[in-house]
Amino acid sequence: MAGGMFLFSAVDTHAKFLASSLHPVQITWSRQLGLLLGVFIIIAIKGRGVLRSKHPWLQIGRGAMAVFSATLFIAGVTYVQLADAIAVTFVAPFIVTLLGAAILKEKVGLRRWTAVTIGFLGTLIVIRPGFGAVHPAVILVLLAAIAFACRQILSRFLSGDDPVETTLAYTAITSVVLLTLPLPFVWKTPVWGTEVLLLVTMALIAACAETLVIMALEAAEAVVVAPVHYSILIWGTFYGWLIFDHLPDFWTVFGAMIIIATGIYTLNRERVVAKERSG
């Protein structure tokens, strides 16, 4: 999981660098090609049975959420510092809690609702609406986090019926198909050399990152490895400083620490509740 987060930060850095000259749809499409390549390899090894799903339309919906999440994030990170954008995406686990209670009818106790509230306040500290401290495009990043949370809810629903390989395959195929539709209207031929190299390496790194995360989730419970996701802020800050000479200010770091602390608490509560139910 730590390796996956390190690589995903590199993917985000590629995307931010490319967003100054290429459309977010084209960047996301290129990124998803790497995932599609990985799916073709899985199908070659395990056969076309990987594509059998008990809920194909929900799988397609999950793929659509992946498209919205990635495209909105890249559009937002064009104007927002990388560390700030990553910090805002940490609101996703709290949105998952809200949607889990509303849609999946999961029981959420007072302590978890308190954690959600405090985590939301941490997000407000990072964004600071009305103070002009962060570019308004941060709203796009927030919408990306909401789309990602919807994707996670669909993942929870599908996990009991479809294997990980099937979900991965539908996500890759759906996202590439959906992104190909508007691609001719935004396409700009990449400059041979730097842009082509960045697009290719971004796609390959994204495929490797997805694979590492899947391996982590197969080796251990999600609530055990999920807190490691927050290490992406460290790498995002590092890349932001190294490539763009950006460093988050005090309030961004302070708000991010609040979000991380409440997020880890929420994940720990999920683990405790899961043990109580099984025991």
Side-chain angles (χ1 to χ4, degrees):
M1 181 63 84
M5 294 305 103
F6 173 77
L7 293 180
F8 271 130
S9 293
V11 171
D12 292 339
T13 305
H14 278 66
K16 181 174 177 61
F17 191 87
L18 288 164
S20 61
S21 57
L22 299 177
H23 195 280
V25 169
Q26 184 175 351
I27 297 171
T28 308
W29 178 82
S30 302
R31 170 180 169 169
Q32 295 303 96
L33 284 182
L35 183 59
L36 186 63
L37 174 62
V39 167
F40 285 153
I41 294 173
I42 292 173
I43 293 174
I45 296 172
K46 296 191 175 184
R48 287 179 292 179
V50 170
L51 298 175
R52 295 194 190 97
S53 170
K54 293 183 179 179
H55 308 283
W57 287 109
L58 288 181
Q59 289 285 11
I60 292 172
R62 185 186 183 279
M65 287 299 105
V67 169
F68 294 140
S69 177
T71 306
L72 288 170
F73 180 83
I74 293 173
V77 85
T78 304
Y79 307 98
V80 178
Q81 291 190 17
L82 194 57
D84 291 354
I86 290 173
V88 172
T89 63
F90 288 165
V91 75
F94 307 116
I95 299 172
V96 169
T97 300
L98 292 170
L99 295 178
I103 298 173
L104 301 181
K105 305 303 179 183
E106 294 178 347
K107 292 184 178 179
V108 181
L110 178 60
R111 282 181 286 189
R112 284 178 64 189
W113 281 125
T114 302
V116 167
T117 303
I118 296 174
F120 178 70
L121 292 176
T123 305
L124 290 179
I125 291 174
V126 174
I127 299 175
R128 280 160 282 171
F131 288 89
V134 181
H135 195 283
V138 74
I139 300 300
L140 296 175
V141 180
L142 186 59
L143 292 174
I146 294 172
F148 180 80
C150 293
R151 172 182 165 186
Q152 295 300 96
I153 289 295
L154 286 171
S155 297
R156 286 190 182 185
F157 185 85
L158 292 164
S159 61
D161 295 318
D162 290 347
V164 174
E165 294 89 347
T166 300
T167 299
L168 186 64
Y170 269 87
T171 298
I173 294 170
T174 301
S175 58
V176 169
V177 169
L178 290 178
L179 289 165
T180 300
L181 296 176
L183 191 63
F185 301 101
V186 300
W187 177 265
K188 176 186 175 184
T189 303
V191 177
W192 185 258
T194 303
E195 288 184 349
V196 172
L197 179 62
L198 286 173
L199 288 169
V200 172
T201 55
M202 179 181 66
L204 294 176
I205 293 171
C208 292
E210 288 278 3
T211 302
L212 288 175
V213 171
I214 289 171
M215 290 171 63
L217 293 173
E218 288 180 343
E221 294 180 4
V223 292
V224 175
V225 297
V228 184
H229 170 81
Y230 292 116
S231 65
I232 197 172
L233 180 61
I234 298 172
W235 301 119
T237 302
F238 172 72
Y239 285 131
W241 166 75
L242 183 66
I243 306 298
F244 306 106
D245 196 26
H246 292 161
L247 282 174
D249 60 18
F250 168 79
W251 292 110
T252 296
V253 174
F254 180 61
M257 291 303 102
I258 292 175
I259 297 169
I260 291 172
T262 50
I264 292 175
Y265 174 81
T266 300
L267 290 165
N268 184 62
R269 284 299 304 165
E270 288 187 5
R271 180 166 51 183
V272 170
V273 171
K275 283 184 178 180
E276 290 175 350
R277 289 174 180 172
S278 60

